[in-house]
Amino acid sequence: MSKGQDITKNGTPMNGATSLVKSLEAAGVDVMFGIPGGAILPAYDPIFDSKIRHILVRHEQGAGHAATGYAQVSGRAGVCIATSGPGATNLVTPLADAAMDSVPLVAITGQVPSAAIGTDAFQEADIRGITMPFTKHNYLVTDPAEIPRAIAEAFHIATTGRPGPVLVDIAKDALQKETVFNWPESISLKGYQPKLQPNAQSISDAAALITQSHRPVFYVGGGIMKANASKELREIAELLGAPVVTTLMALGSFPHSHPLHMGMPGMHGSVAAVTTLQKSDLLITLGARFDDRVTGKLSTFAVNAKVIHCDVDPAEIGKNRFADVAVVGDLKHTLIALIPALKAALAKNRPDLSTWLRQVNNLKSTYPLGYDKPTDGSVSPQYVIERIGKLSAPDSIYVAGVGQHQMWAAQFVPYELPRTWLNSGGLGTMGYSVPAAMGAKVAAPDTTVWSIDGDGCFQMTNQELVTCALNNIPIKVAIINNESLGMVRQWQTLFYEGRYSNTNLESKRVPDFPKLADAMGCVGLSCDRPEDVDKTIEKALSINNQPVVVDFRVHRDAMVWPMVAAGTSNDDIMIAREMAPDWDSQEL
Amino acid sequence: MSKHILEVLVENSPGVLARVAGLFSRRAYNIDALTVGPTKDPAISKMQIDVDVEGHALEQVISQLDKLINVISIKEILPANVKPAPTDTQPDYQN
């Protein structure tokens, strides 16, 4: 964080570029990820002298995801910086990713000189126009005097309310011109006043509805993480004694070992979590958004449940599902208000949840997550991930790519702490893992950071391992190498009669991942026998002065189960191919 | 199908029309008519947007519009002979 005494005095003359860097310092930035280029070049001169650590990445997409990883671990805004045109357009994917997962991100881009804007100048792209749909807000600055205010507003908007990415595009001449530094004392935006404190009536309505419910469940989403409200979540869950499900974005917000935890709901959720939602009479929804991957066919989702919807973003209320009680506010404030209200309501009328708890616990014990060991002696991908989770320190951070390995990492690592699980949940960005793990490691340099990646994802962004090797960012990468675009292949198995069109990556032949790792300044390891899995993981854990890449060569045909096929009802969850849970043996 | 008229005050900043039009386009809301004009305050413009959505969908249009940082306020203009419909949508969460 910035030290107060280092902040530049208002009224100091300087050029726009220096004003930008002084503004970033004033905003408390300690690290940023980027690549220079023509239009942003003026800014790189004062960056050279700044105390802000600039990490020179190998692709702007890496800068964006690294900033996201940094933000997801630290809870502070991540910062990335790029030049105009292609530099800026390479940030498009990470910005869209951050918007979908509500990540506080500030992206700075250079723009062609203001006189050239609109002329199809060299390296010109209308990045403000391009990023309008998936930034929380964005700016085009052409007057150097406006730089400090734009930066201050960008950080304010990115980090408050529902967090999100903000882009500040600055014309090259605005960076070059002389100006006077003027950091705003306070920020007041007429059109942006996020409501943090929930209204008292909605809190008492929520408490009353909870005491009338006999089958309540806490449906917890990523918002709980943004609000840093894990402690309050545990308190209210134990107060009511109701089951808790945590979505893909909320894993770790509630300890997986807790007896009330039913697991993750959704397309690849546990039978217990999916069915607890389906059979509930009240969804106590905390920072979740009724995403299609959770609800399955929306019209069949939890049809007998009333809904309490708590969210800081009013537009989420009623977007996909009607809310009987809406509580708009920051989740921490909300829970701090709701806990005593519920305590008082329960003192008068405590519903008996014992039958409900017995039913859901029966599901949990009957249908634990599991997997079949391959019969040919090859390595099971789930086993590799499970062992990584067992052998690594409890505070280790796991950063997944997208696909089968992501789901297995969500299922088989026991998350006990918030901000230890990072993934691209909303956008589903293959290539997220390596750069996001880099950012995570920068935010938590003393913590083990595992990138759990697929062989397909890894080949999209692995060049950032060079950045890691050169900048002392020793992440560990477990490539779950099934030589396929595994999740797509799974769908081809299930829905396209096993016609494997263009999903065979042949990545057990090419590339040679350990050699590639070696070439990028990392330690490369390989493992293709189940009996070597533990010692390979231990070897990787013992190397802390260099990034490590392990090529885990795993069984190709492993599939992710349970599964609710896209567009079908959660009631049709399958625990294996053509195998539904034995509903007749369940009380529900 | 009934029409609703929204009067939207926005900051008079470059790109604000694109932000509003883009929002309607990407969330698949239809605009029947759109006019933009100045107000007494040169920093603020007024948009009048005619939409043909009801109930939930109207609530969503308003909520999503309100998320735009440059949007200052949104109010529904009711014809003089029409009383506001009883709310059958979301409970009041704005205050």
Side-chain angles (χ1 to χ4, degrees):
Chain A
M1 278 309 273
S2 66
K3 313 288 178 290
Q5 67 273 18
D6 294 344
I7 290 175
T8 304
K9 280 205 182 77
N10 280 349
T12 312
M14 59 185 69
N15 67 11
T18 307
S19 176
L20 167 63
V21 175
K22 295 297 173 195
S23 297
L24 293 170
E25 289 174 359
V29 176
D30 58 2
V31 61
M32 55 186 172
F33 302 87
I35 310 185
I40 196 66
L41 198 48
Y44 271 79
D45 197 60
I47 283 173
F48 207 37
D49 297 327
S50 173
K51 66 181 168 32
I52 298 175
R53 180 184 182 194
H54 178 279
I55 295 172
L56 175 61
V57 298
R58 292 298 180 269
H59 189 293
E60 290 86 354
Q61 184 187 357
H65 291 315
T68 290
Y70 175 90
Q72 295 286 60
V73 167
S74 69
R76 300 170 51 208
V79 181
C80 53
I81 180 164
T83 196
S84 65
T89 57
N90 279 344
L91 286 177
V92 164
T93 299
L95 286 168
D97 183 90
M100 288 287 256
D101 287 346
S102 307
V103 179
L105 209 66
V106 174
I108 314 286
T109 49
Q111 182 53 278
V112 300
S114 49
I117 291 176
T119 66
D120 306 313
F122 177 65
Q123 290 195 330
E124 180 182 2
D126 174 16
I127 196 63
R128 187 185 53 159
I130 292 167
T131 59
M132 259 180 206
F134 44 79
T135 48
K136 190 170 169 186
H137 194 53
N138 58 18
Y139 293 85
L140 169 59
V141 180
T142 53
D143 175 356
E146 286 183 13
I147 290 171
R149 188 183 54 81
I151 296 296
E153 288 181 6
F155 279 87
H156 174 66
I157 292 167
T159 55
T160 54
R162 179 180 185 169
V166 179
L167 176 130
V168 184
D169 192 28
I170 310 175
K172 186 174 187 179
D173 54 318
L175 293 170
Q176 290 167 318
K177 277 184 201 157
E178 288 303 311
T179 181
V180 169
F181 180 74
N182 207 346
W183 184 250
E185 296 279 312
S186 63
I187 295 161
S188 158
L189 295 164
K190 281 193 195 109
Y192 179 70
Q193 278 120 17
K195 181 175 178 304
L196 301 181
Q197 203 61 47
N199 87 25
Q201 184 63 48
S202 65
I203 291 290
S204 58
D205 290 351
L209 195 54
I210 293 171
T211 61
Q212 290 158 27
S213 159
H214 294 275
R215 303 156 83 83
V217 53
F218 290 96
Y219 160 32
V220 181
I224 203 84
M225 220 71 92
K226 315 292 177 196
N228 294 313
S230 294
K231 185 170 95 39
E232 291 77 10
L233 168 62
R234 185 169 179 157
E235 193 179 338
I236 197 166
E238 289 175 351
L239 169 64
L240 182 61
V244 176
V245 304
T246 45
T247 70
L248 185 64
M249 293 309 295
L251 299 179
S253 63
F254 192 76
H256 282 207
S257 60
H258 197 288
L260 291 171
H261 191 246
M262 293 298 128
M264 175 177 81
M267 181 175 273
H268 295 295
S270 68
V271 172
V274 170
T275 311
T276 301
L277 288 176
Q278 281 306 86
K279 304 294 181 186
S280 165
D281 68 359
L282 179 64
L283 308 178
I284 307 166
T285 311
L286 305 175
R289 59 186 176 89
F290 297 87
D291 177 74
D292 58 271
R293 281 320 194 237
V294 166
T295 63
K297 190 178 174 190
L298 190 58
S299 60
T300 66
F301 176 65
V303 290
N304 297 316
K306 292 197 166 178
V307 172
I308 296 170
H309 197 167
C310 307
D311 207 292
V312 74
D313 178 1
E316 284 304 332
I317 310 292
K319 186 182 78 178
N320 293 334
R321 172 74 178 245
F322 179 79
D324 299 271
V325 174
V327 185
V328 172
D330 175 83
L331 272 183
K332 198 178 187 90
H333 290 85
T334 296
L335 291 176
I336 286 170
L338 186 54
I339 288 165
L342 182 60
K343 228 175 243 174
L346 289 173
K348 285 185 212 143
N349 173 27
R350 183 177 265 278
D352 178 10
L353 306 182
S354 58
T355 305
W356 174 233
L357 276 176
R358 191 179 66 244
Q359 290 168 338
V360 297
N361 278 321
N362 194 23
L363 280 169
K364 187 176 164 183
S365 56
T366 312
Y367 298 104
L369 292 168
Y371 55 90
D372 294 327
K373 294 237 156 55
T375 50
D376 60 358
S378 59
V379 180
S380 142
Q382 298 97 324
Y383 176 71
V384 170
I385 291 167
E386 190 173 55
R387 294 307 298 165
I388 291 172
K390 286 258 165 44
L391 295 172
S392 304
D395 65 344
S396 300
I397 294 167
Y398 301 86
V399 186
V402 169
Q404 288 184 314
H405 68 277
Q406 172 194 26
M407 291 297 107
W408 290 322
Q411 293 175 333
F412 294 108
V413 175
Y415 299 99
E416 296 289 310
L417 299 166
R419 299 188 186 277
T420 56
W421 161 247
L422 277 60
N423 82 137
S424 169
L427 195 67
T429 311
M430 287 178 67
Y432 170 90
S433 178
V434 168
M438 171 170 76
K441 184 71 178 171
V442 169
D446 300 326
T447 306
T448 299
V449 176
W450 275 105
S451 153
I452 309 280
D453 216 2
D455 51 303
C457 290
F458 182 78
Q459 291 184 71
M460 292 190 174
T461 49
N462 65 67
Q463 73 274 20
E464 295 313 336
L465 283 169
V466 173
T467 312
C468 290
L470 290 175
N471 289 280
N472 186 28
I473 309 170
I475 63 168
K476 304 180 197 305
V477 182
I479 304 173
I480 308 301
N481 181 359
N482 58 6
E483 56 189 328
S484 302
L485 296 165
M487 186 61 91
V488 182
R489 192 172 190 273
Q490 175 167 342
W491 286 40
Q492 288 173 331
T493 303
L494 296 174
F495 311 122
Y496 293 89
E497 293 94 38
R499 287 163 48 81
Y500 299 118
S501 172
N502 291 283
T503 46
N504 180 10
L505 292 170
E506 300 183 68
S507 19
K508 286 181 186 167
R509 291 206 300 127
V510 176
D512 181 324
F513 286 122
K515 271 191 188 161
L516 179 60
D518 187 52
M520 291 192 287
C522 308
V523 175
L525 303 173
S526 180
C527 174
D528 60 4
R529 299 191 312 169
E531 59 269 35
D532 295 338
V533 167
D534 276 16
K535 65 181 175 209
T536 309
I537 295 168
E538 275 156 6
K539 174 93 203 264
L541 286 169
S542 72
I543 301 167
N544 290 308
N545 56 350
Q546 252 181 304
V548 187
V549 176
V550 189
D551 181 16
F552 286 105
R553 301 159 79 89
V554 301
H555 188 61
R556 185 174 216 182
D557 295 325
M559 287 204 264
V560 183
W561 298 106
M563 181 170 184
V564 178
T568 69
S569 167
N570 280 346
D571 293 330
D572 299 325
I573 187 169
M574 304 301 267
I575 51 172
R577 197 168 184 186
E578 291 168 8
M579 189 187 291
D582 179 12
W583 295 119
D584 292 342
S585 72
Q586 296 292 327
E587 278 185 82
L588 283 158
Chain B
M1 182 163 47
S2 82
K3 300 253 159 87
H4 292 266
I5 302 168
L6 302 176
E7 185 186 280
V8 183
L9 293 183
V10 298
E11 288 179 55
N12 181 17
S13 62
V16 67
L17 179 61
R19 289 181 203 280
V20 171
L23 171 71
F24 275 75
S25 162
R26 71 176 175 271
R27 295 212 180 256
Y29 308 144
N30 283 320
I31 299 180
D32 279 355
L34 171 67
T35 54
V36 190
T39 64
K40 280 181 198 158
D41 182 347
I44 294 174
S45 302
K46 183 160 77 177
M47 290 187 181
Q48 182 174 310
I49 308 174
D50 298 12
V51 293
D52 63 357
V53 291
E54 276 301 322
H56 259 132
L58 180 63
E59 291 270 341
Q60 264 296 299
V61 170
I62 292 170
S63 297
Q64 295 291 353
L65 263 178
D66 200 33
K67 278 174 77 168
L68 297 178
I69 308 290
N70 293 141
V71 169
I72 298 165
S73 68
I74 306 157
K75 89 176 168 196
E76 189 177 350
I77 308 290
L78 296 162
N81 57 344
V82 175
K83 277 195 253 173
T87 172
D88 59 346
T89 57
Q90 285 298 327
D92 176 30
Y93 50 76
Q94 295 287 12
N95 295 301

mmCIF file of all heavy atoms in Angstrom, chain A residues 268 488-498 500 559-561 563 565 576-578:
data_model
loop_
_atom_site.group_PDB
_atom_site.id
_atom_site.type_symbol
_atom_site.label_atom_id
_atom_site.label_comp_id
_atom_site.label_asym_id
_atom_site.label_seq_id
_atom_site.Cartn_x
_atom_site.Cartn_y
_atom_site.Cartn_z
ATOM 1 N N HIS A 268 -22.048 -29.740 -12.577
ATOM 2 C CA HIS A 268 -21.189 -30.809 -12.074
ATOM 3 C C HIS A 268 -21.122 -30.779 -10.549
ATOM 4 O O HIS A 268 -20.104 -31.089 -9.949
ATOM 5 C CB HIS A 268 -19.800 -30.724 -12.700
ATOM 6 C CG HIS A 268 -19.819 -30.975 -14.176
ATOM 7 N ND1 HIS A 268 -20.175 -32.200 -14.709
ATOM 8 C CD2 HIS A 268 -19.572 -30.163 -15.236
ATOM 9 C CE1 HIS A 268 -20.124 -32.128 -16.030
ATOM 10 N NE2 HIS A 268 -19.776 -30.906 -16.376
ATOM 11 N N VAL A 488 -14.899 -30.920 -24.017
ATOM 12 C CA VAL A 488 -15.573 -30.983 -25.316
ATOM 13 C C VAL A 488 -15.663 -32.444 -25.744
ATOM 14 O O VAL A 488 -16.696 -32.914 -26.234
ATOM 15 C CB VAL A 488 -14.823 -30.134 -26.363
ATOM 16 C CG1 VAL A 488 -15.568 -30.160 -27.692
ATOM 17 C CG2 VAL A 488 -14.673 -28.704 -25.881
ATOM 18 N N ARG A 489 -14.578 -33.172 -25.515
ATOM 19 C CA ARG A 489 -14.568 -34.603 -25.844
ATOM 20 C C ARG A 489 -15.643 -35.345 -25.045
ATOM 21 O O ARG A 489 -16.339 -36.217 -25.584
ATOM 22 C CB ARG A 489 -13.186 -35.169 -25.527
ATOM 23 C CG ARG A 489 -12.955 -36.566 -26.077
ATOM 24 C CD ARG A 489 -11.494 -36.964 -25.872
ATOM 25 N NE ARG A 489 -11.167 -38.195 -26.590
ATOM 26 C CZ ARG A 489 -11.350 -39.403 -26.090
ATOM 27 N NH1 ARG A 489 -11.841 -39.552 -24.881
ATOM 28 N NH2 ARG A 489 -11.031 -40.471 -26.804
ATOM 29 N N GLN A 490 -15.792 -34.964 -23.762
ATOM 30 C CA GLN A 490 -16.839 -35.609 -22.948
ATOM 31 C C GLN A 490 -18.220 -35.397 -23.566
ATOM 32 O O GLN A 490 -19.036 -36.307 -23.629
ATOM 33 C CB GLN A 490 -16.788 -35.064 -21.509
ATOM 34 C CG GLN A 490 -17.928 -35.585 -20.623
ATOM 35 C CD GLN A 490 -17.720 -35.309 -19.135
ATOM 36 O OE1 GLN A 490 -16.623 -35.036 -18.675
ATOM 37 N NE2 GLN A 490 -18.799 -35.383 -18.369
ATOM 38 N N TRP A 491 -18.465 -34.177 -24.041
ATOM 39 C CA TRP A 491 -19.759 -33.899 -24.686
ATOM 40 C C TRP A 491 -19.891 -34.682 -25.987
ATOM 41 O O TRP A 491 -20.976 -35.132 -26.336
ATOM 42 C CB TRP A 491 -19.938 -32.381 -24.925
ATOM 43 C CG TRP A 491 -20.244 -31.594 -23.682
ATOM 44 C CD1 TRP A 491 -19.683 -31.777 -22.451
ATOM 45 C CD2 TRP A 491 -21.184 -30.516 -23.537
ATOM 46 N NE1 TRP A 491 -20.204 -30.866 -21.560
ATOM 47 C CE2 TRP A 491 -21.131 -30.081 -22.193
ATOM 48 C CE3 TRP A 491 -22.044 -29.868 -24.420
ATOM 49 C CZ2 TRP A 491 -21.921 -29.034 -21.703
ATOM 50 C CZ3 TRP A 491 -22.836 -28.818 -23.933
ATOM 51 C CH2 TRP A 491 -22.770 -28.408 -22.578
ATOM 52 N N GLN A 492 -18.761 -34.825 -26.701
ATOM 53 C CA GLN A 492 -18.821 -35.629 -27.930
ATOM 54 C C GLN A 492 -19.139 -37.088 -27.604
ATOM 55 O O GLN A 492 -19.872 -37.755 -28.327
ATOM 56 C CB GLN A 492 -17.497 -35.509 -28.699
ATOM 57 C CG GLN A 492 -17.325 -34.144 -29.354
ATOM 58 C CD GLN A 492 -15.941 -33.949 -29.966
ATOM 59 O OE1 GLN A 492 -14.952 -34.527 -29.510
ATOM 60 N NE2 GLN A 492 -15.863 -33.102 -30.991
ATOM 61 N N THR A 493 -18.582 -37.575 -26.486
ATOM 62 C CA THR A 493 -18.893 -38.940 -26.047
ATOM 63 C C THR A 493 -20.380 -39.076 -25.744
ATOM 64 O O THR A 493 -21.027 -40.039 -26.166
ATOM 65 C CB THR A 493 -18.080 -39.282 -24.777
ATOM 66 O OG1 THR A 493 -16.697 -39.111 -25.051
ATOM 67 C CG2 THR A 493 -18.356 -40.704 -24.310
ATOM 68 N N LEU A 494 -20.918 -38.080 -25.041
ATOM 69 C CA LEU A 494 -22.287 -38.196 -24.548
ATOM 70 C C LEU A 494 -23.335 -37.796 -25.580
ATOM 71 O O LEU A 494 -24.427 -38.354 -25.602
ATOM 72 C CB LEU A 494 -22.468 -37.329 -23.291
ATOM 73 C CG LEU A 494 -21.635 -37.734 -22.074
ATOM 74 C CD1 LEU A 494 -21.786 -36.709 -20.953
ATOM 75 C CD2 LEU A 494 -22.048 -39.118 -21.565
ATOM 76 N N PHE A 495 -23.028 -36.804 -26.386
ATOM 77 C CA PHE A 495 -24.076 -36.222 -27.239
ATOM 78 C C PHE A 495 -23.796 -36.314 -28.737
ATOM 79 O O PHE A 495 -24.631 -35.924 -29.546
ATOM 80 C CB PHE A 495 -24.318 -34.753 -26.863
ATOM 81 C CG PHE A 495 -24.493 -34.533 -25.374
ATOM 82 C CD1 PHE A 495 -23.652 -33.674 -24.677
ATOM 83 C CD2 PHE A 495 -25.485 -35.209 -24.665
ATOM 84 C CE1 PHE A 495 -23.801 -33.475 -23.302
ATOM 85 C CE2 PHE A 495 -25.634 -35.021 -23.306
ATOM 86 C CZ PHE A 495 -24.789 -34.154 -22.624
ATOM 87 N N TYR A 496 -22.621 -36.759 -29.129
ATOM 88 C CA TYR A 496 -22.281 -36.820 -30.558
ATOM 89 C C TYR A 496 -21.741 -38.202 -30.939
ATOM 90 O O TYR A 496 -20.853 -38.312 -31.783
ATOM 91 C CB TYR A 496 -21.278 -35.717 -30.926
ATOM 92 C CG TYR A 496 -21.857 -34.319 -30.825
ATOM 93 C CD1 TYR A 496 -21.803 -33.608 -29.636
ATOM 94 C CD2 TYR A 496 -22.475 -33.720 -31.924
ATOM 95 C CE1 TYR A 496 -22.359 -32.342 -29.526
ATOM 96 C CE2 TYR A 496 -23.021 -32.449 -31.824
ATOM 97 C CZ TYR A 496 -22.964 -31.759 -30.626
ATOM 98 O OH TYR A 496 -23.499 -30.501 -30.529
ATOM 99 N N GLU A 497 -22.269 -39.230 -30.290
ATOM 100 C CA GLU A 497 -21.928 -40.631 -30.605
ATOM 101 C C GLU A 497 -20.420 -40.886 -30.662
ATOM 102 O O GLU A 497 -19.948 -41.676 -31.489
ATOM 103 C CB GLU A 497 -22.546 -41.061 -31.957
ATOM 104 C CG GLU A 497 -24.061 -41.148 -31.971
ATOM 105 C CD GLU A 497 -24.702 -39.855 -32.456
ATOM 106 O OE1 GLU A 497 -24.153 -39.227 -33.372
ATOM 107 O OE2 GLU A 497 -25.732 -39.460 -31.879
ATOM 108 N N GLY A 498 -19.676 -40.197 -29.825
ATOM 109 C CA GLY A 498 -18.243 -40.463 -29.803
ATOM 110 C C GLY A 498 -17.507 -40.037 -31.064
ATOM 111 O O GLY A 498 -16.434 -40.560 -31.359
ATOM 112 N N TYR A 500 -15.174 -37.757 -32.379
ATOM 113 C CA TYR A 500 -14.251 -36.821 -31.735
ATOM 114 C C TYR A 500 -13.675 -35.835 -32.740
ATOM 115 O O TYR A 500 -12.492 -35.882 -33.103
ATOM 116 C CB TYR A 500 -13.153 -37.587 -30.987
ATOM 117 C CG TYR A 500 -13.738 -38.458 -29.891
ATOM 118 C CD1 TYR A 500 -13.601 -39.836 -29.892
ATOM 119 C CD2 TYR A 500 -14.464 -37.874 -28.850
ATOM 120 C CE1 TYR A 500 -14.162 -40.618 -28.886
ATOM 121 C CE2 TYR A 500 -15.035 -38.649 -27.850
ATOM 122 C CZ TYR A 500 -14.884 -40.011 -27.883
ATOM 123 O OH TYR A 500 -15.448 -40.775 -26.896
ATOM 124 N N MET A 559 -14.396 -39.016 -17.113
ATOM 125 C CA MET A 559 -15.438 -38.006 -17.314
ATOM 126 C C MET A 559 -15.808 -37.357 -15.983
ATOM 127 O O MET A 559 -15.565 -37.909 -14.913
ATOM 128 C CB MET A 559 -16.670 -38.624 -17.964
ATOM 129 C CG MET A 559 -16.426 -38.948 -19.423
ATOM 130 S SD MET A 559 -17.947 -39.023 -20.383
ATOM 131 C CE MET A 559 -18.253 -40.757 -20.355
ATOM 132 N N VAL A 560 -16.376 -36.160 -16.091
ATOM 133 C CA VAL A 560 -16.797 -35.430 -14.897
ATOM 134 C C VAL A 560 -18.220 -35.835 -14.547
ATOM 135 O O VAL A 560 -19.134 -35.657 -15.353
ATOM 136 C CB VAL A 560 -16.733 -33.903 -15.121
ATOM 137 C CG1 VAL A 560 -17.095 -33.175 -13.835
ATOM 138 C CG2 VAL A 560 -15.359 -33.474 -15.607
ATOM 139 N N TRP A 561 -18.395 -36.361 -13.337
ATOM 140 C CA TRP A 561 -19.703 -36.723 -12.812
ATOM 141 C C TRP A 561 -19.821 -36.210 -11.392
ATOM 142 O O TRP A 561 -18.806 -36.079 -10.735
ATOM 143 C CB TRP A 561 -19.917 -38.259 -12.812
ATOM 144 C CG TRP A 561 -19.867 -38.845 -14.177
ATOM 145 C CD1 TRP A 561 -18.853 -39.576 -14.717
ATOM 146 C CD2 TRP A 561 -20.870 -38.742 -15.202
ATOM 147 N NE1 TRP A 561 -19.140 -39.926 -16.008
ATOM 148 C CE2 TRP A 561 -20.376 -39.430 -16.325
ATOM 149 C CE3 TRP A 561 -22.129 -38.126 -15.272
ATOM 150 C CZ2 TRP A 561 -21.104 -39.525 -17.525
ATOM 151 C CZ3 TRP A 561 -22.844 -38.233 -16.442
ATOM 152 C CH2 TRP A 561 -22.330 -38.920 -17.560
ATOM 153 N N MET A 563 -23.510 -35.048 -13.437
ATOM 154 C CA MET A 563 -23.732 -34.093 -14.517
ATOM 155 C C MET A 563 -25.223 -33.858 -14.724
ATOM 156 O O MET A 563 -26.010 -34.794 -14.752
ATOM 157 C CB MET A 563 -23.121 -34.616 -15.816
ATOM 158 C CG MET A 563 -23.287 -33.651 -16.986
ATOM 159 S SD MET A 563 -22.313 -34.167 -18.423
ATOM 160 C CE MET A 563 -22.619 -32.798 -19.538
ATOM 161 N N ALA A 565 -27.150 -32.383 -17.691
ATOM 162 C CA ALA A 565 -26.890 -31.981 -19.078
ATOM 163 C C ALA A 565 -27.475 -30.593 -19.336
ATOM 164 O O ALA A 565 -28.509 -30.220 -18.767
ATOM 165 C CB ALA A 565 -27.481 -33.007 -20.039
ATOM 166 N N ALA A 576 -23.513 -41.097 -13.167
ATOM 167 C CA ALA A 576 -22.580 -41.705 -14.124
ATOM 168 C C ALA A 576 -23.384 -41.842 -15.411
ATOM 169 O O ALA A 576 -24.574 -41.528 -15.444
ATOM 170 C CB ALA A 576 -22.089 -43.064 -13.650
ATOM 171 N N ARG A 577 -22.741 -42.318 -16.454
ATOM 172 C CA ARG A 577 -23.432 -42.387 -17.730
ATOM 173 C C ARG A 577 -24.687 -43.260 -17.610
ATOM 174 O O ARG A 577 -24.613 -44.400 -17.158
ATOM 175 C CB ARG A 577 -22.504 -42.970 -18.787
ATOM 176 C CG ARG A 577 -23.012 -42.690 -20.169
ATOM 177 C CD ARG A 577 -21.983 -43.003 -21.213
ATOM 178 N NE ARG A 577 -22.519 -42.607 -22.520
ATOM 179 C CZ ARG A 577 -21.914 -42.849 -23.648
ATOM 180 N NH1 ARG A 577 -20.762 -43.459 -23.671
ATOM 181 N NH2 ARG A 577 -22.461 -42.452 -24.785
ATOM 182 N N GLU A 578 -25.811 -42.675 -17.987
ATOM 183 C CA GLU A 578 -27.107 -43.368 -17.925
ATOM 184 C C GLU A 578 -27.413 -43.924 -16.550
ATOM 185 O O GLU A 578 -28.060 -44.953 -16.409
ATOM 186 C CB GLU A 578 -27.173 -44.474 -19.002
ATOM 187 C CG GLU A 578 -27.236 -43.884 -20.406
ATOM 188 C CD GLU A 578 -27.023 -44.901 -21.517
ATOM 189 O OE1 GLU A 578 -26.968 -46.101 -21.218
ATOM 190 O OE2 GLU A 578 -26.911 -44.461 -22.673
#
